[in-house]
């Protein structure tokens, strides 16, 4: 069956079997390797993505369920959008850099770019995770970053781009026009991260990262 | 993964959805959020009818009733300001207790929770004490409405007879919850190993206060005890017409309802549930008393 949806601000089309999960589609067809293959039962949160601005598990979601909807993964942050364009994912044109996991791990792919600084720029939430040492093996980190992003969107700290083809996709860190809510409380952060299992950090550091990111967002306004 | 799933439909009208479901009732299922169905790996499912485009995501309040569409996500109920205040927030607490994961709550729907194959649900006892009613259409497109307890009896009868795929031959469209009078209080309590774990036992209660602080009506239900929701008629009768005090609650909890034998499973034994249930009911009623 044919599927059309917006992935990280770009309109994409795929031909999938009815029983294909969104996790499988994103990793195997769309090249979104930040979406991790964990438990396949919706327990660990490693595969989470934003669907219309709300965080959901992609392993227990059929790909067909996101037809005509808006999906956001970590690759949608600045730098990664351009990087995927260079990979020509979803087109017949040859990639300008090699696709697949090796490209993501290959520093030369970044070094050959005319503006490598663009790819080095991290989203404030990602930067807060780095600064507070909230990453160890990193397997759960993309999911945690998206859970924090969804919390901030829900609290009005970050604007979620509307699903409007005429409106240019805006990276999800544009301050909202209306007055934002106060930063989330510690309990709200704990609740937001409750669906993301981490076997390394013990959760203290990721919670600190979310607090730090919220603080930076509020201070930046 | 649903290995044998061949067709996926997302109809835009109720008629089209019912037509698709009734065309192949043995192999075609309703897909609401999919949190139970997709990871179940069922091999008998060949077709799915996704009801997310049916405009059943509406929550509205009439003069005396709150109406919640079948595909409203549990997280939407939690975030709704009206539901936060309604009945002391017990509906919100129950939805939150359903899963610690916000991702699951964003996907899981109220209609799916009512029809889920799992009989243990924190939402069930709360819907029971709130005297909820379930509106649905059957395969003949007849719209019907049943009290939730009767709906579950109907549902289980269909499943036990292994009628069309062992599932209910219809489609839930709405759950209606009557508003409570101002002279009432409600509470929800649960027991779990840790807060993020599923409940071993849960209890919900609604008390209507009459003149002089007398209990004019009591509704008490246990969840995860014998099934979805067990209304404790003996406790309700013992409380009715009496002034609610710690002593009267203690006396009501000591009535012979504890002879109802609970189930034993990997979460908790029959002995544990039997021992813990009276304490949980007492705690729930005492919380109602505090909220008077």
């Amino acid at each position: 069956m044919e599927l059309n949806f917006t992935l990280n601000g770009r309109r994409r089309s795929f031909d999938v079997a009815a029983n294909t999960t969104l996790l499988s589609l994103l990793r195997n067809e769309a090249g979104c390797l930040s979406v991790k293959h964990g438990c396949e039962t919706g327990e660990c949160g490693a595969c989470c993505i934003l669907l219309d601005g709300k965080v959901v598990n992609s392993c227990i979601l059929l790909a067909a369920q996101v037809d005509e909807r808006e999906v956001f993964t970590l690759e949608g942050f600045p730098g990664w959008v351009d990087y995927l364009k260079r990979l020509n994912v979803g087109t017949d044109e040859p990639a300008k850099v090699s696709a697949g996991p090796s490209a993501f791990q290959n520093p030369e792919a970044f070094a050959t770019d005319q503006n490598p600084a663009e790819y080095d720029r991290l989203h404030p939430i990602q930067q807060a995770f780095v600064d507070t040492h909230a990453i160890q093996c990193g397997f759960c980190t993309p999911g945690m970053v998206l859970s924090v992003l969804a919390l901030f969107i829900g609290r009005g700290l970050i604007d979620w781009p509307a699903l409007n083809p005429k409106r240019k996709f805006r990276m999800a860190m544009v301050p909202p026009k209306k007055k934002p809510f106060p930063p989330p409380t510690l309990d709200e952060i704990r609740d937001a991260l409750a669906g993301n299992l981490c076997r390394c950090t013990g959760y203290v550091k990721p919670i600190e990262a979310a607090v730090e990111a919220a603080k930076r967002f509020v201070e930046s306004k | 993964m649903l290995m044998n799933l061949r067709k996926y439909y997302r109809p835009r009208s109720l008629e089209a959805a019912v037509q698709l479901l009734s065309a192949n009732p043995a192999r075609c299922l309703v897909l609401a959020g999919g949190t139970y169905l997709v990871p179940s790996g069922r091999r008998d499912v060949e077709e799915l009818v996704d009801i997310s485009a049916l405009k059943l995501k509406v929550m509205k309040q009439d003069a005396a009733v709150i109406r919640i569409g079948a595909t409203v996500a549990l997280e939407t109920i939690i975030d709704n300001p009206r539901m936060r205040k309604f009945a002391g927030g017990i509906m919100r607490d129950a939805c939150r207790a359903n899963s610690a994961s916000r991702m699951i709550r964003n996907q899981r729907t109220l209609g799916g929770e009512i029809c889920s194959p799992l009989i243990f649900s924190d939402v069930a006892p709360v819907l029971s004490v709130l005297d909820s009613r379930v509106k649905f259409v059957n395969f003949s497109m007849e719209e019907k409405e049943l009290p939730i307890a009767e709906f579950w009896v109907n549902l289980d009868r269909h499943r036990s007879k292994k009628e069309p795929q062992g599932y209910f031959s219809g489609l839930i469209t709405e759950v209606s919850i009557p508003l409570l009078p101002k002279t009432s209080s409600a509470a929800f309590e649960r027991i779990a190993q840790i807060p993020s774990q599923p409940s071993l036992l849960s209890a919900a209660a609604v008390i209507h206060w009459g003149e002089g602080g007398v209990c004019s009506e009591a509704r008490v239900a246990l969840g995860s005890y014998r099934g979805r929701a067990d209304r404790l008629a003996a406790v309700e009768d013992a409380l009715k017409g009496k002034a609610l005090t710690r002593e009267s609650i203690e006396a009501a909890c000591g009535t012979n309802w504890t002879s109802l034998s609970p189930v034993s499973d990997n979460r908790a034994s029959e002995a544990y549930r039997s021992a813990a249930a009276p304490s949980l009911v007492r705690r729930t009623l005492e919380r109602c008393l505090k909220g008077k």
Side-chain angles (χ1 to χ4, degrees):
Chain A
M1 60 183 292
E2 196 184 327
L3 198 62
N4 297 294
F5 63 96
T6 306
L7 175 60
N8 298 327
R10 295 174 64 200
R11 192 79 177 157
R12 301 287 300 274
S13 296
F14 297 96
D15 192 15
V16 297
N19 63 355
T20 307
T21 60
L22 182 62
L23 168 67
S24 170
L25 174 75
L26 290 175
R27 284 189 64 84
N28 301 333
E29 306 289 331
C32 295
L33 298 173
S34 71
V35 187
K36 303 297 183 207
H37 190 154
C39 64
E40 282 193 340
T41 56
E43 295 284 339
C44 73
C47 66
C48 76
I49 52 124
L50 297 197
L51 180 62
D52 295 339
K54 293 194 171 172
V55 66
V56 294
N57 289 304
S58 63
C59 66
I60 54 170
L61 201 66
L62 293 175
Q65 287 178 272
V66 303
D67 192 28
E68 300 300 332
R69 297 176 80 177
E70 189 169 355
V71 174
F72 187 88
T73 69
L74 213 66
E75 283 83 354
F77 281 145
W80 289 102
V81 173
D82 296 333
Y83 182 65
L84 285 174
K85 277 181 189 167
R86 291 173 67 236
L87 287 174
N88 287 324
V89 176
T91 69
D92 295 331
E93 292 175 31
K96 290 173 187 164
V97 293
S98 59
S102 58
F104 289 86
Q105 295 161 355
N106 181 8
E108 287 179 11
F110 294 88
T112 53
D113 188 77
Q114 290 181 347
N115 184 14
E118 185 69 15
Y119 301 122
D120 292 337
R121 193 163 58 121
L122 291 175
H123 187 275
I125 298 174
Q126 291 172 304
Q127 192 62 53
F129 269 72
V130 173
D131 294 346
T132 55
H133 307 285
I135 304 163
Q136 286 189 31
C137 84
F139 194 80
C140 68
T141 309
M144 287 203 172
V145 169
L146 289 181
S147 286
V148 174
L149 179 66
L151 174 69
F152 288 4
I153 291 167
R155 295 287 297 186
L157 283 171
I158 299 176
D159 202 8
W160 176 250
L163 188 60
N164 182 350
K166 289 181 182 173
R167 186 176 161 192
K168 192 182 174 187
F169 178 80
R170 296 188 299 165
M171 204 284 295
M173 62 176 291
V174 180
K177 285 175 186 168
K178 61 184 178 185
K179 192 181 174 186
F181 290 98
T185 63
L186 208 54
D187 280 346
E188 286 171 328
I189 289 171
R190 286 197 182 111
D191 180 57
L193 291 174
N196 295 92
L197 298 189
C198 173
R199 302 292 84 171
C200 305
T201 64
Y203 305 104
V204 174
K205 292 293 177 184
I207 290 168
E208 283 178 11
V211 171
E212 179 62 27
K215 195 174 139 194
R216 289 178 189 178
F217 266 104
V218 172
E219 283 174 358
S220 70
K221 294 190 196 311
Chain B
M1 190 179 181
L2 302 168
M3 294 295 286
N4 296 320
L5 179 65
R6 303 277 177 267
K7 288 179 181 171
Y8 168 94
Y9 306 100
R10 195 195 284 174
R12 300 204 174 269
S13 72
L14 203 56
E15 292 78 11
V18 170
Q19 202 174 1
L20 286 165
L21 284 166
S22 55
N24 184 11
R27 299 287 177 193
C28 186
L29 287 188
V30 175
L31 177 68
T35 57
Y36 293 117
L37 184 60
V38 175
S40 72
R42 287 179 57 160
R43 288 171 184 263
D44 59 331
V45 182
E46 290 180 358
E47 296 178 20
L48 284 180
V49 177
D50 184 350
I51 57 168
S52 62
L54 294 188
K55 294 178 181 165
L56 300 175
K57 287 183 184 168
V58 184
M59 281 179 75
K60 57 187 174 185
Q61 185 177 329
D62 296 348
V65 175
I66 293 178
R67 298 184 188 280
I68 306 175
T71 55
V72 169
L74 298 187
E75 188 66 21
T76 310
I77 296 172
I78 293 169
D79 289 341
N80 188 290
R82 190 180 296 147
M83 296 309 287
R84 272 182 213 168
K85 292 176 186 168
F86 173 67
I90 60 170
M91 191 64 196
R92 178 175 175 254
D93 292 347
C95 289
R96 194 184 286 275
N98 184 276
S99 172
S101 166
R102 186 175 288 216
M103 299 151 212
I104 296 287
R105 298 195 306 252
N106 272 329
Q107 278 177 257
R108 194 166 284 169
T109 63
L110 186 61
E113 188 60 24
I114 289 170
C115 271
S116 88
L118 301 180
I119 59 165
F120 293 151
S121 163
D122 287 322
V123 179
V126 169
L127 288 174
S128 178
V129 295
L130 290 173
D131 273 353
S132 312
R133 296 177 71 84
V134 179
K135 194 185 273 187
F136 61 96
V137 287
N138 62 16
F139 283 174
S140 310
M141 275 309 289
E142 294 166 337
E143 198 170 76
K144 295 188 174 182
E145 192 172 305
L146 288 176
I148 196 152
E150 210 174 307
F151 177 82
W152 279 324
V153 169
N154 214 341
L155 186 71
D156 291 340
R157 195 170 59 234
H158 277 264
R159 282 179 181 164
S160 63
K161 283 182 183 172
K162 297 195 188 306
E163 279 181 0
Q165 79 269 12
Y167 271 66
F168 180 62
S169 307
L171 188 58
I172 297 184
T173 54
E174 188 181 277
V175 178
S176 56
I177 305 173
L179 293 176
L180 295 179
K182 286 182 181 173
T183 53
S184 64
S185 55
F188 170 76
E189 288 279 340
R190 65 193 284 260
I191 298 173
Q193 286 179 334
I194 55 172
S196 59
Q197 286 283 314
S199 298
L200 304 176
L201 211 55
S202 57
V206 170
I207 302 288
H208 290 208
W209 305 100
E211 283 181 20
V214 172
C215 168
S216 61
E217 187 187 349
R219 296 182 222 143
V220 187
L222 267 177
S224 309
Y225 189 69
R226 290 193 308 166
R228 291 185 189 86
D230 288 298
R231 281 287 283 269
L232 306 176
V235 177
E236 292 174 0
D237 292 343
L239 291 172
K240 197 172 177 182
K242 290 182 183 163
L244 214 62
T245 59
R246 282 177 176 269
E247 291 71 32
S248 62
I249 290 172
E250 191 74 45
C253 291
T255 51
N256 64 353
W257 66 272
T258 46
S259 61
L260 300 172
S261 60
V263 293
S264 194
D265 62 8
N266 59 342
R267 292 189 198 171
S269 66
E270 182 183 341
Y272 178 84
R273 283 192 167 100
S274 294
S279 302
L280 185 67
V281 172
R282 190 178 62 238
R283 212 163 73 197
T284 312
L285 289 167
E286 283 176 356
R287 206 171 141 193
C288 277
L289 192 59
K290 279 182 192 167
K292 186 178 171 184

